[in-house]
Amino acid sequence: MGVLEVLAEVSRYIPAAAKPARRPTLPTRLMWTGLVVLLYLIMSEIPLVGVYGYGQATQATLMSMLLGMNIGTLMTLGIGPIVTAGIVLEVLVGGKLIELDLTKPRDRKIFMGAQRTLALLFALLEAAAYVIGCRFWISAFASSPEVCPPISTAVKIIVVLQLVFATLVLMWFDEMIRNGWGIGSALSLFIVASVVKGLFWQLAGSTKVATPEGQPVYYGWLAHVVSTGDLGVLRRGMPDMVGFLATIAIIMVLIYFQLMRVYIPVTSPRYGSIKTRIPLNFIYVTNIPILFVAIAVSDIKVFEIVIASLLGADNPLVRGMDVLYNYVSPPRGLLAAVADPLRTLTFALAWLALGLLFGFIWVEIAGLSPRQQAENLIKSGMELPGIRKNVKLLERILARYIYPLTVISSLLVTTMAILADVFGAYGTGSGLVLLVGIIYNFYQALVYERTLEMYPTLQRLLGR
């Protein structure tokens, strides 16, 4: 029995959310979806028992928005352990380091079970590192930032258990939504909630923070304008008008790209050789590559915190990870990007390379490859005009469309995220790309479910 089989076997003993005996109505599913998101937001504000007076950072960061983290609360780890487990397994499967065919029910079940167990193991590791490194208590109680106050072992264990349980609750939420209680993906909706929360905080946050020049200013752009009368065209490290305009422009461009399609002409011999066209999304890889890139970069900081907690902040490995994170993390606005061009260039090149890599990995493991599309085309009774039914031949023809689309769409969404970060767009560049993509996909899922409710015959045809 391999490692994945062992992890999948362990997941059988982890409680899971059950499927509804009867599919709820659309209003009921919307209610459950909204309730799950609301509970997530509430959990992100509930402080951990045993952690008192932790001084949280008020600024919205890449980690806090994309991983849903709020240190010192039940969402200290956010969705990080869950998505990290998914990324690790998907990269291993996509790179053929683990032989699994995710189109087969058995292999898919092993993959999902292993992901659940691995997510809890990551949560346990990260929670233990936070506690061992005394990250929750140094800033609150210690007279020196290097000294950890005496905290009982029982309190530390309680904190670790809270964080692991919070990760398990998020897994239940996601399973509930996926199993039919709601619509879409709970983890995606958590990302939307975090990005929107960060976006509005950058727009209207009224808390004063210290700038690099030592002058206290309002963090939110509107609060700054109202209090000072200054439009705040450019504010180093702070939300400004350039970022506000960039946010609007990026959202509009992303919506336009989401609506673009590339059409492939096909015929159906079953229905008198009727001619039609199959639409492929211009953003063929959706928003997955930028999600993987942003989470991979955020995980560098997470693991830096974990290793620093175990080995100390002066460890060479920790310092190296800090330098790496600095050069691959987004600059905070136009002034910061211009002030350090080397970092900006390194960040842009690293994100473009990673975006392209993750784009190809996603196409292969998500059933979007030319071969899988050719097989789907033949199974549906469709064929390309003048091309005989042969999987390998169809695969070569479709590859002329799919691989260029993969390259273009991967580079395009990554470039939009880079430009948004360089111009200081609110919600971060990757956050805006994910926000538009997730909301659009949710809208499509909502329209689909509404259509099925309006026409019950379609449900029977689809076996629902």
Side-chain angles (χ1 to χ4, degrees), residues 381-397:
M382 297 288 183
E383 61 184 36
L384 298 181
I387 306 297
R388 55 190 174 87
K389 283 189 176 182
N390 181 284
V391 173
K392 291 186 177 180
L393 185 59
L394 285 175
E395 181 183 353
R396 287 199 297 270
I397 299 297

mmCIF file with all atom_site columns, all heavy atoms in Angstrom, residues 381-397:
data_model
loop_
_atom_site.group_PDB
_atom_site.id
_atom_site.type_symbol
_atom_site.label_atom_id
_atom_site.label_alt_id
_atom_site.label_comp_id
_atom_site.label_asym_id
_atom_site.label_entity_id
_atom_site.label_seq_id
_atom_site.pdbx_PDB_ins_code
_atom_site.Cartn_x
_atom_site.Cartn_y
_atom_site.Cartn_z
_atom_site.occupancy
_atom_site.B_iso_or_equiv
_atom_site.pdbx_formal_charge
_atom_site.auth_seq_id
_atom_site.auth_comp_id
_atom_site.auth_asym_id
_atom_site.auth_atom_id
_atom_site.pdbx_PDB_model_num
ATOM 1   N N   . GLY A 1 381 ? -20.349 12.104 -29.780 1.00 0.00 ? 381 GLY A N   1
ATOM 2   C CA  . GLY A 1 381 ? -20.877 11.917 -31.133 1.00 0.00 ? 381 GLY A CA  1
ATOM 3   C C   . GLY A 1 381 ? -20.521 13.037 -32.084 1.00 0.00 ? 381 GLY A C   1
ATOM 4   O O   . GLY A 1 381 ? -21.054 13.096 -33.193 1.00 0.00 ? 381 GLY A O   1
ATOM 5   N N   . MET A 1 382 ? -19.615 13.928 -31.686 1.00 0.00 ? 382 MET A N   1
ATOM 6   C CA  . MET A 1 382 ? -19.211 15.036 -32.534 1.00 0.00 ? 382 MET A CA  1
ATOM 7   C C   . MET A 1 382 ? -17.894 14.697 -33.244 1.00 0.00 ? 382 MET A C   1
ATOM 8   O O   . MET A 1 382 ? -17.151 13.813 -32.822 1.00 0.00 ? 382 MET A O   1
ATOM 9   C CB  . MET A 1 382 ? -19.031 16.316 -31.711 1.00 0.00 ? 382 MET A CB  1
ATOM 10  C CG  . MET A 1 382 ? -20.306 16.812 -31.050 1.00 0.00 ? 382 MET A CG  1
ATOM 11  S SD  . MET A 1 382 ? -21.446 17.512 -32.240 1.00 0.00 ? 382 MET A SD  1
ATOM 12  C CE  . MET A 1 382 ? -22.762 18.084 -31.157 1.00 0.00 ? 382 MET A CE  1
ATOM 13  N N   . GLU A 1 383 ? -17.625 15.408 -34.332 1.00 0.00 ? 383 GLU A N   1
ATOM 14  C CA  . GLU A 1 383 ? -16.357 15.243 -35.037 1.00 0.00 ? 383 GLU A CA  1
ATOM 15  C C   . GLU A 1 383 ? -16.038 16.525 -35.787 1.00 0.00 ? 383 GLU A C   1
ATOM 16  O O   . GLU A 1 383 ? -16.915 17.354 -36.047 1.00 0.00 ? 383 GLU A O   1
ATOM 17  C CB  . GLU A 1 383 ? -16.420 14.067 -36.008 1.00 0.00 ? 383 GLU A CB  1
ATOM 18  C CG  . GLU A 1 383 ? -17.469 14.223 -37.094 1.00 0.00 ? 383 GLU A CG  1
ATOM 19  C CD  . GLU A 1 383 ? -17.558 12.994 -37.985 1.00 0.00 ? 383 GLU A CD  1
ATOM 20  O OE1 . GLU A 1 383 ? -17.390 11.876 -37.467 1.00 0.00 ? 383 GLU A OE1 1
ATOM 21  O OE2 . GLU A 1 383 ? -17.806 13.175 -39.193 1.00 0.00 ? 383 GLU A OE2 1
ATOM 22  N N   . LEU A 1 384 ? -14.756 16.695 -36.129 1.00 0.00 ? 384 LEU A N   1
ATOM 23  C CA  . LEU A 1 384 ? -14.341 17.854 -36.907 1.00 0.00 ? 384 LEU A CA  1
ATOM 24  C C   . LEU A 1 384 ? -14.636 17.592 -38.381 1.00 0.00 ? 384 LEU A C   1
ATOM 25  O O   . LEU A 1 384 ? -14.411 16.476 -38.871 1.00 0.00 ? 384 LEU A O   1
ATOM 26  C CB  . LEU A 1 384 ? -12.844 18.129 -36.717 1.00 0.00 ? 384 LEU A CB  1
ATOM 27  C CG  . LEU A 1 384 ? -12.384 18.466 -35.293 1.00 0.00 ? 384 LEU A CG  1
ATOM 28  C CD1 . LEU A 1 384 ? -10.892 18.737 -35.278 1.00 0.00 ? 384 LEU A CD1 1
ATOM 29  C CD2 . LEU A 1 384 ? -13.136 19.659 -34.746 1.00 0.00 ? 384 LEU A CD2 1
ATOM 30  N N   . PRO A 1 385 ? -15.153 18.588 -39.109 1.00 0.00 ? 385 PRO A N   1
ATOM 31  C CA  . PRO A 1 385 ? -15.479 18.387 -40.522 1.00 0.00 ? 385 PRO A CA  1
ATOM 32  C C   . PRO A 1 385 ? -14.257 17.931 -41.315 1.00 0.00 ? 385 PRO A C   1
ATOM 33  O O   . PRO A 1 385 ? -13.183 18.544 -41.244 1.00 0.00 ? 385 PRO A O   1
ATOM 34  C CB  . PRO A 1 385 ? -15.948 19.771 -40.978 1.00 0.00 ? 385 PRO A CB  1
ATOM 35  C CG  . PRO A 1 385 ? -16.375 20.465 -39.735 1.00 0.00 ? 385 PRO A CG  1
ATOM 36  C CD  . PRO A 1 385 ? -15.494 19.947 -38.662 1.00 0.00 ? 385 PRO A CD  1
ATOM 37  N N   . GLY A 1 386 ? -14.419 16.828 -42.078 1.00 0.00 ? 386 GLY A N   1
ATOM 38  C CA  . GLY A 1 386 ? -13.346 16.325 -42.922 1.00 0.00 ? 386 GLY A CA  1
ATOM 39  C C   . GLY A 1 386 ? -12.293 15.535 -42.191 1.00 0.00 ? 386 GLY A C   1
ATOM 40  O O   . GLY A 1 386 ? -11.295 15.124 -42.789 1.00 0.00 ? 386 GLY A O   1
ATOM 41  N N   . ILE A 1 387 ? -12.474 15.293 -40.877 1.00 0.00 ? 387 ILE A N   1
ATOM 42  C CA  . ILE A 1 387 ? -11.506 14.542 -40.080 1.00 0.00 ? 387 ILE A CA  1
ATOM 43  C C   . ILE A 1 387 ? -12.167 13.260 -39.583 1.00 0.00 ? 387 ILE A C   1
ATOM 44  O O   . ILE A 1 387 ? -13.243 13.302 -38.969 1.00 0.00 ? 387 ILE A O   1
ATOM 45  C CB  . ILE A 1 387 ? -10.996 15.364 -38.875 1.00 0.00 ? 387 ILE A CB  1
ATOM 46  C CG1 . ILE A 1 387 ? -10.442 16.710 -39.335 1.00 0.00 ? 387 ILE A CG1 1
ATOM 47  C CG2 . ILE A 1 387 ? -9.951  14.585 -38.104 1.00 0.00 ? 387 ILE A CG2 1
ATOM 48  C CD1 . ILE A 1 387 ? -9.238  16.612 -40.233 1.00 0.00 ? 387 ILE A CD1 1
ATOM 49  N N   . ARG A 1 388 ? -11.553 12.115 -39.857 1.00 0.00 ? 388 ARG A N   1
ATOM 50  C CA  . ARG A 1 388 ? -12.140 10.857 -39.412 1.00 0.00 ? 388 ARG A CA  1
ATOM 51  C C   . ARG A 1 388 ? -12.001 10.697 -37.898 1.00 0.00 ? 388 ARG A C   1
ATOM 52  O O   . ARG A 1 388 ? -11.158 11.323 -37.267 1.00 0.00 ? 388 ARG A O   1
ATOM 53  C CB  . ARG A 1 388 ? -11.485 9.670  -40.133 1.00 0.00 ? 388 ARG A CB  1
ATOM 54  C CG  . ARG A 1 388 ? -9.981  9.605  -40.015 1.00 0.00 ? 388 ARG A CG  1
ATOM 55  C CD  . ARG A 1 388 ? -9.406  8.557  -40.957 1.00 0.00 ? 388 ARG A CD  1
ATOM 56  N NE  . ARG A 1 388 ? -7.958  8.556  -40.972 1.00 0.00 ? 388 ARG A NE  1
ATOM 57  C CZ  . ARG A 1 388 ? -7.201  7.867  -40.133 1.00 0.00 ? 388 ARG A CZ  1
ATOM 58  N NH1 . ARG A 1 388 ? -7.790  7.100  -39.216 1.00 0.00 ? 388 ARG A NH1 1
ATOM 59  N NH2 . ARG A 1 388 ? -5.894  7.924  -40.203 1.00 0.00 ? 388 ARG A NH2 1
ATOM 60  N N   . LYS A 1 389 ? -12.842 9.808  -37.368 1.00 0.00 ? 389 LYS A N   1
ATOM 61  C CA  . LYS A 1 389 ? -12.864 9.602  -35.917 1.00 0.00 ? 389 LYS A CA  1
ATOM 62  C C   . LYS A 1 389 ? -11.632 8.821  -35.464 1.00 0.00 ? 389 LYS A C   1
ATOM 63  O O   . LYS A 1 389 ? -11.600 7.594  -35.521 1.00 0.00 ? 389 LYS A O   1
ATOM 64  C CB  . LYS A 1 389 ? -14.134 8.850  -35.514 1.00 0.00 ? 389 LYS A CB  1
ATOM 65  C CG  . LYS A 1 389 ? -15.380 9.705  -35.481 1.00 0.00 ? 389 LYS A CG  1
ATOM 66  C CD  . LYS A 1 389 ? -16.529 8.937  -34.865 1.00 0.00 ? 389 LYS A CD  1
ATOM 67  C CE  . LYS A 1 389 ? -17.763 9.821  -34.733 1.00 0.00 ? 389 LYS A CE  1
ATOM 68  N NZ  . LYS A 1 389 ? -18.884 9.107  -34.092 1.00 0.00 ? 389 LYS A NZ  1
ATOM 69  N N   . ASN A 1 390 ? -10.653 9.545  -35.038 1.00 0.00 ? 390 ASN A N   1
ATOM 70  C CA  . ASN A 1 390 ? -9.423  8.944  -34.536 1.00 0.00 ? 390 ASN A CA  1
ATOM 71  C C   . ASN A 1 390 ? -8.887  9.843  -33.426 1.00 0.00 ? 390 ASN A C   1
ATOM 72  O O   . ASN A 1 390 ? -8.646  11.040 -33.647 1.00 0.00 ? 390 ASN A O   1
ATOM 73  C CB  . ASN A 1 390 ? -8.392  8.814  -35.663 1.00 0.00 ? 390 ASN A CB  1
ATOM 74  C CG  . ASN A 1 390 ? -7.106  8.161  -35.201 1.00 0.00 ? 390 ASN A CG  1
ATOM 75  O OD1 . ASN A 1 390 ? -6.290  8.787  -34.532 1.00 0.00 ? 390 ASN A OD1 1
ATOM 76  N ND2 . ASN A 1 390 ? -6.943  6.895  -35.556 1.00 0.00 ? 390 ASN A ND2 1
ATOM 77  N N   . VAL A 1 391 ? -8.742  9.283  -32.216 1.00 0.00 ? 391 VAL A N   1
ATOM 78  C CA  . VAL A 1 391 ? -8.363  10.100 -31.057 1.00 0.00 ? 391 VAL A CA  1
ATOM 79  C C   . VAL A 1 391 ? -7.037  10.810 -31.288 1.00 0.00 ? 391 VAL A C   1
ATOM 80  O O   . VAL A 1 391 ? -6.900  12.015 -31.024 1.00 0.00 ? 391 VAL A O   1
ATOM 81  C CB  . VAL A 1 391 ? -8.299  9.229  -29.784 1.00 0.00 ? 391 VAL A CB  1
ATOM 82  C CG1 . VAL A 1 391 ? -7.729  10.040 -28.614 1.00 0.00 ? 391 VAL A CG1 1
ATOM 83  C CG2 . VAL A 1 391 ? -9.682  8.705  -29.421 1.00 0.00 ? 391 VAL A CG2 1
ATOM 84  N N   . LYS A 1 392 ? -6.037  10.089 -31.804 1.00 0.00 ? 392 LYS A N   1
ATOM 85  C CA  . LYS A 1 392 ? -4.724  10.700 -31.987 1.00 0.00 ? 392 LYS A CA  1
ATOM 86  C C   . LYS A 1 392 ? -4.755  11.808 -33.030 1.00 0.00 ? 392 LYS A C   1
ATOM 87  O O   . LYS A 1 392 ? -4.102  12.852 -32.864 1.00 0.00 ? 392 LYS A O   1
ATOM 88  C CB  . LYS A 1 392 ? -3.704  9.627  -32.386 1.00 0.00 ? 392 LYS A CB  1
ATOM 89  C CG  . LYS A 1 392 ? -3.395  8.635  -31.259 1.00 0.00 ? 392 LYS A CG  1
ATOM 90  C CD  . LYS A 1 392 ? -2.282  7.690  -31.651 1.00 0.00 ? 392 LYS A CD  1
ATOM 91  C CE  . LYS A 1 392 ? -1.943  6.754  -30.477 1.00 0.00 ? 392 LYS A CE  1
ATOM 92  N NZ  . LYS A 1 392 ? -0.862  5.802  -30.820 1.00 0.00 ? 392 LYS A NZ  1
ATOM 93  N N   . LEU A 1 393 ? -5.536  11.593 -34.094 1.00 0.00 ? 393 LEU A N   1
ATOM 94  C CA  . LEU A 1 393 ? -5.636  12.623 -35.125 1.00 0.00 ? 393 LEU A CA  1
ATOM 95  C C   . LEU A 1 393 ? -6.352  13.862 -34.607 1.00 0.00 ? 393 LEU A C   1
ATOM 96  O O   . LEU A 1 393 ? -5.912  14.997 -34.810 1.00 0.00 ? 393 LEU A O   1
ATOM 97  C CB  . LEU A 1 393 ? -6.374  12.056 -36.346 1.00 0.00 ? 393 LEU A CB  1
ATOM 98  C CG  . LEU A 1 393 ? -6.476  12.962 -37.572 1.00 0.00 ? 393 LEU A CG  1
ATOM 99  C CD1 . LEU A 1 393 ? -5.078  13.349 -38.058 1.00 0.00 ? 393 LEU A CD1 1
ATOM 100 C CD2 . LEU A 1 393 ? -7.265  12.281 -38.669 1.00 0.00 ? 393 LEU A CD2 1
ATOM 101 N N   . LEU A 1 394 ? -7.465  13.633 -33.875 1.00 0.00 ? 394 LEU A N   1
ATOM 102 C CA  . LEU A 1 394 ? -8.185  14.759 -33.279 1.00 0.00 ? 394 LEU A CA  1
ATOM 103 C C   . LEU A 1 394 ? -7.335  15.479 -32.241 1.00 0.00 ? 394 LEU A C   1
ATOM 104 O O   . LEU A 1 394 ? -7.388  16.704 -32.117 1.00 0.00 ? 394 LEU A O   1
ATOM 105 C CB  . LEU A 1 394 ? -9.478  14.259 -32.629 1.00 0.00 ? 394 LEU A CB  1
ATOM 106 C CG  . LEU A 1 394 ? -10.634 13.895 -33.570 1.00 0.00 ? 394 LEU A CG  1
ATOM 107 C CD1 . LEU A 1 394 ? -11.788 13.304 -32.781 1.00 0.00 ? 394 LEU A CD1 1
ATOM 108 C CD2 . LEU A 1 394 ? -11.089 15.110 -34.354 1.00 0.00 ? 394 LEU A CD2 1
ATOM 109 N N   . GLU A 1 395 ? -6.552  14.710 -31.508 1.00 0.00 ? 395 GLU A N   1
ATOM 110 C CA  . GLU A 1 395 ? -5.678  15.308 -30.496 1.00 0.00 ? 395 GLU A CA  1
ATOM 111 C C   . GLU A 1 395 ? -4.696  16.283 -31.132 1.00 0.00 ? 395 GLU A C   1
ATOM 112 O O   . GLU A 1 395 ? -4.465  17.381 -30.611 1.00 0.00 ? 395 GLU A O   1
ATOM 113 C CB  . GLU A 1 395 ? -4.931  14.205 -29.759 1.00 0.00 ? 395 GLU A CB  1
ATOM 114 C CG  . GLU A 1 395 ? -3.997  14.715 -28.661 1.00 0.00 ? 395 GLU A CG  1
ATOM 115 C CD  . GLU A 1 395 ? -3.219  13.598 -27.998 1.00 0.00 ? 395 GLU A CD  1
ATOM 116 O OE1 . GLU A 1 395 ? -3.492  12.417 -28.302 1.00 0.00 ? 395 GLU A OE1 1
ATOM 117 O OE2 . GLU A 1 395 ? -2.331  13.917 -27.188 1.00 0.00 ? 395 GLU A OE2 1
ATOM 118 N N   . ARG A 1 396 ? -4.114  15.895 -32.278 1.00 0.00 ? 396 ARG A N   1
ATOM 119 C CA  . ARG A 1 396 ? -3.159  16.789 -32.946 1.00 0.00 ? 396 ARG A CA  1
ATOM 120 C C   . ARG A 1 396 ? -3.844  18.058 -33.448 1.00 0.00 ? 396 ARG A C   1
ATOM 121 O O   . ARG A 1 396 ? -3.276  19.147 -33.377 1.00 0.00 ? 396 ARG A O   1
ATOM 122 C CB  . ARG A 1 396 ? -2.484  16.047 -34.106 1.00 0.00 ? 396 ARG A CB  1
ATOM 123 C CG  . ARG A 1 396 ? -1.467  15.008 -33.666 1.00 0.00 ? 396 ARG A CG  1
ATOM 124 C CD  . ARG A 1 396 ? -0.524  14.666 -34.809 1.00 0.00 ? 396 ARG A CD  1
ATOM 125 N NE  . ARG A 1 396 ? -1.231  14.062 -35.945 1.00 0.00 ? 396 ARG A NE  1
ATOM 126 C CZ  . ARG A 1 396 ? -1.440  12.750 -36.090 1.00 0.00 ? 396 ARG A CZ  1
ATOM 127 N NH1 . ARG A 1 396 ? -0.997  11.901 -35.161 1.00 0.00 ? 396 ARG A NH1 1
ATOM 128 N NH2 . ARG A 1 396 ? -2.064  12.285 -37.146 1.00 0.00 ? 396 ARG A NH2 1
ATOM 129 N N   . ILE A 1 397 ? -5.077  17.897 -33.959 1.00 0.00 ? 397 ILE A N   1
ATOM 130 C CA  . ILE A 1 397 ? -5.803  19.074 -34.447 1.00 0.00 ? 397 ILE A CA  1
ATOM 131 C C   . ILE A 1 397 ? -6.152  20.008 -33.292 1.00 0.00 ? 397 ILE A C   1
ATOM 132 O O   . ILE A 1 397 ? -5.941  21.230 -33.363 1.00 0.00 ? 397 ILE A O   1
ATOM 133 C CB  . ILE A 1 397 ? -7.085  18.644 -35.184 1.00 0.00 ? 397 ILE A CB  1
ATOM 134 C CG1 . ILE A 1 397 ? -6.744  17.777 -36.395 1.00 0.00 ? 397 ILE A CG1 1
ATOM 135 C CG2 . ILE A 1 397 ? -7.883  19.871 -35.605 1.00 0.00 ? 397 ILE A CG2 1
ATOM 136 C CD1 . ILE A 1 397 ? -5.944  18.469 -37.458 1.00 0.00 ? 397 ILE A CD1 1
#
